[in-house]
Amino acid sequence: MEHVPWLTVVTFAPLAGAVPLAFFPPRAVRLHRWWGLGVTVATFGLALGMFTRFSSNNAGFQLVEHVVWVRSLNFNYIMGVDGISVFLVLLTAFLMPAGVLVSWRVDRQVKFFMLALLVLETAMLGAFVSIDLLLFFFFFEALLFPMYLIIGGWGSERRIYAAVKFFLYTMAGSAFLLVGILFLYFKAGSQFGHPTFDIRQLQELTLSTTAARWLFLAFFVAFAVKTPLVPLHTWLPDAHTEAPTAGSLALASVVIKVGGYGLIRFNLGLFPEASDHFRTLVLVLAVIGIIYGAVVALIQTDIKRLVAYSSVSHMGFVTLGVFAFTIQGLSGGILTMINHGLSTGALFLLVGMLYERTHTRDLRKMGGLASIVPVYAGVLLFVALSSIGLPGLNGFVGEFLVILGTFVSTRPFAIAAVTGVVLSAIYLLWGYQRLMHGPPAIAGGAGNGHTQPSSGARTIPKRPWDLELREYFVVVPIMAAILFIGIYPKPVLDRIEPTTVRIVGCVQLITKYQPQGPPVAHQASPISVPALRQSLCSPGTP
């Protein structure tokens, strides 16, 4: 097993499973569902196998696979994981079986729906393990097409509008990213004698201050759209609201994490000086996102849209932690990405389950459901409390580290961010109260299963109401992960920390030794910035 190309196997397992699925008979709907579930479960098993071979003591890339793709152009297939990406791979593989299970009642074009999910999983996994910029861009763009099909093909009433908006926003951001990648490729050719997309070599490039700052902005726009940061966030609420439940799960839990991951891996990794220059701007945008997302969530009557705006707020915490330039902040930002994937992903799953029963997402048409679906109500409260950041659950650890790390470096931003924590408690608990308590507004669960609903609501049969066995398989593993990280986050933080120490140390030291003011003729710099990059910032390999 020592020579197994784990990253390639994990990344392309869903795509390999999609190939035979494409030839299954169109009417074998049951087979399509079970095959999709089997492939995603097998992928998670392979991801666990990969994780067992990951060393917690190594700050560099591990399990590296390097194959020459086009020798004349120096195109290479390079994959590797470190303390940041290994958990994002695990998160993706862990949640995709839940996406299949929650879609069990999709009854239209089931084969193509499962195909889109499996292709999407490969694209998401590939984005997290690529350490070649061209390969990363390939997977970054490959995310668009299956996600577009899932939203546009199986979404709600305004699904075409939401899908096109998602596609155009992301494509516009990707154009800037492609220009920046090509510039680095040719710049490497002029400096190293051979062009390359390998980020380990690109970190040793000597860039002028102006070039580095323009490149930072090119990469930042692409990742800010995907994260998303205010004011580039407007595609997200529409996409979440109109997407099917599995699409919302993938968007919230994984797709937007590619943006946060890109900020860490490429903006901080390739342009540390420019990251420091634009740091205040990014922190301002992060705090605006935290407060704006929470305030707008407060006034939502569509429960799915409420959860969507909570994502804007939580991803603001991620960005805040990343640009705090402290070990606690960056570790907290990475952990918040993982926690947000679990908690907000679970919220979207639960909203989808409720929509199957009530056929509405309007909070004004619901109420008193705790007496009808007590188990569901308990699960929803548990997940909502984890998203709020209740001590003992996963959300607390990440947000606490982000605020602590930001307080150490930039106290005003940390104080402003705390308001987001307070507001999140208000909008989630208020939403829960409107949904689960008060007079019943939707029928079901009393008598023989039929009562007269309030005006505007539908009469719903008694069964199925509370959680079914299939839905227990969806929510129980996620709840266990939420509780485990909340009580004992050490195994996760131990594997994250070596990488965060390297990244933060690199940014802090390079910005410290970056020459200030105009250069003086014939004055030698006491420490070479490229030398610093090579010795401190290169991720290396074990």
Side-chain angles (χ1 to χ4, degrees):
M1 301 292 284
E2 291 297 325
H3 302 291
V4 173
W6 283 104
L7 301 183
T8 295
V9 170
V10 171
T11 300
F12 290 100
L15 187 62
V19 173
L21 176 59
F23 296 98
F24 286 178
R27 296 181 182 274
V29 173
R30 188 176 178 85
L31 178 60
H32 302 157
R33 292 173 179 145
W34 281 104
W35 183 264
L37 179 62
V39 171
T40 54
V41 170
T43 302
F44 177 57
L46 292 169
L48 287 176
M50 176 272 298
F51 184 70
T52 61
R53 284 149 181 81
F54 183 84
S55 171
S56 61
N57 299 319
N58 196 310
F61 288 115
Q62 303 180 43
L63 305 175
V64 173
E65 302 168 20
H66 188 160
V67 178
V68 177
W69 187 6
V70 181
R71 189 175 298 277
S72 60
L73 299 174
N74 200 28
F75 289 179
N76 296 280
Y77 172 93
I78 314 174
M79 288 184 169
V81 288
D82 62 3
I84 302 169
S85 53
V86 69
F87 286 106
L88 295 174
V89 170
L90 270 183
L91 177 71
T92 305
F94 174 68
L95 291 175
M96 287 308 289
V100 174
L101 280 172
V102 81
S103 307
W104 213 251
R105 287 183 176 158
V106 171
D107 57 2
R108 181 167 50 87
Q109 299 288 334
V110 175
K111 181 171 82 168
F112 294 105
F113 183 79
M114 293 299 167
L115 280 170
L117 280 181
L118 293 177
V119 174
L120 176 64
E121 183 174 9
T122 284
M124 294 187 298
L125 291 168
F128 292 132
V129 300
S130 299
I131 55 177
D132 178 273
L133 269 176
L134 183 62
L135 190 62
F136 170 82
F137 184 79
F138 170 79
F139 285 116
F140 187 79
E141 289 298 283
L143 285 168
L144 286 178
F145 300 100
M147 196 73 246
Y148 172 84
L149 293 175
I150 289 170
I151 298 171
W154 291 272
S156 302
E157 292 80 4
R158 300 175 71 243
R159 59 185 180 272
I160 301 300
Y161 167 78
V164 170
K165 190 174 183 180
F166 161 76
F167 191 89
L168 291 178
Y169 264 71
T170 310
M171 279 292 290
S174 299
F176 292 98
L177 179 61
L178 179 60
V179 171
I181 289 173
L182 291 176
F183 181 92
L184 289 173
Y185 174 76
F186 290 111
K187 187 70 172 178
S190 64
Q191 284 194 20
F192 302 150
H194 61 275
T196 183
F197 292 106
D198 188 340
I199 64 171
R200 297 169 298 178
Q201 297 182 42
L202 291 175
Q203 285 184 328
E204 300 173 18
L205 275 176
T206 301
L207 298 170
S208 68
T209 300
T210 302
R213 290 176 182 177
W214 279 111
L215 287 168
F216 174 92
L217 291 174
F219 278 69
F220 179 76
V221 168
F223 299 136
V225 169
K226 192 79 84 177
T227 300
L229 282 179
V230 176
L232 303 174
H233 69 288
T234 57
W235 64 269
L236 183 71
D238 293 319
H240 270 317
T241 304
E242 304 303 325
T245 302
S248 294
L249 172 69
L251 267 176
S253 299
V254 184
V255 172
I256 63 177
K257 304 302 182 300
V258 177
Y261 170 79
L263 291 175
I264 301 169
R265 174 72 71 224
F266 303 111
N267 282 83
L268 263 61
L270 295 176
F271 319 114
E273 304 95 338
S275 297
D276 182 65
H277 177 76
F278 290 106
R279 179 183 179 220
T280 302
L281 171 64
V282 178
L283 290 175
V284 168
L285 292 177
V287 170
I288 291 173
I290 291 169
I291 299 173
Y292 169 83
V295 170
V296 177
L298 274 171
I299 62 174
Q300 298 303 311
T301 57
D302 185 319
I303 187 171
K304 202 172 184 183
R305 208 167 180 86
L306 184 153
V307 179
Y309 275 105
S310 78
S311 287
V312 175
S313 183
H314 281 99
M315 291 308 291
F317 271 104
V318 172
T319 308
L320 185 71
V322 170
F323 280 83
F325 291 175
T326 60
I327 296 170
Q328 299 98 323
L330 183 54
S331 296
I334 297 165
L335 191 58
T336 299
M337 283 200 287
I338 299 166
N339 293 337
H340 175 266
L342 294 170
S343 301
T344 304
L347 285 175
F348 277 116
L349 291 171
L350 290 166
V351 170
M353 294 173 192
L354 187 63
Y355 182 77
E356 286 184 356
R357 291 157 168 80
T358 64
H359 301 282
T360 181
R361 297 188 302 264
D362 194 338
L363 288 167
R364 297 168 296 183
K365 298 179 181 178
M366 291 185 277
L369 293 179
S371 61
I372 303 171
V373 284
V375 176
Y376 175 93
V379 172
L380 180 61
L381 181 60
F382 179 89
V383 174
L385 291 175
S386 77
S387 185
I388 290 169
L390 182 74
L393 299 178
N394 63 339
F396 172 78
V397 186
E399 290 184 359
F400 177 78
L401 285 173
V402 168
I403 293 171
L404 177 64
T406 308
F407 191 84
V408 170
S409 60
T410 49
R411 189 169 300 181
F413 291 105
I415 295 171
V418 171
T419 61
V421 178
V422 177
L423 289 171
S424 70
I426 295 173
Y427 66 72
L428 281 171
L429 292 178
W430 188 28
Y432 181 85
Q433 186 267 337
R434 286 185 286 174
L435 189 65
M436 291 296 161
H437 299 288
I442 285 186
N448 293 322
H450 296 276
T451 61
Q452 185 64 34
S454 63
S455 176
R458 299 180 54 162
T459 301
I460 307 298
K462 180 178 180 179
R463 298 298 302 166
W465 263 103
D466 222 336
L467 294 182
E468 303 172 344
L469 179 62
R470 168 180 60 87
E471 292 167 334
Y472 278 107
F473 280 110
V474 172
V475 299
V476 170
I478 299 176
M479 292 173 68
I482 287 172
L483 190 60
F484 176 80
I485 295 176
I487 294 174
Y488 190 55
K490 187 176 184 296
V492 180
L493 291 173
D494 282 350
R495 288 162 175 79
I496 291 174
E497 187 174 354
T499 305
T500 59
V501 168
R502 175 181 58 78
I503 293 174
V504 171
C506 168
V507 173
Q508 290 180 344
L509 284 168
I510 284 183
T511 54
K512 176 181 177 181
Y513 287 109
Q514 180 73 359
Q516 303 295 321
V520 179
H522 308 296
Q523 181 178 357
S525 175
I527 299 182
S528 166
V529 171
L532 272 176
R533 288 193 181 196
Q534 187 170 6
S535 60
L536 299 172
C537 305
S538 179
T541 57

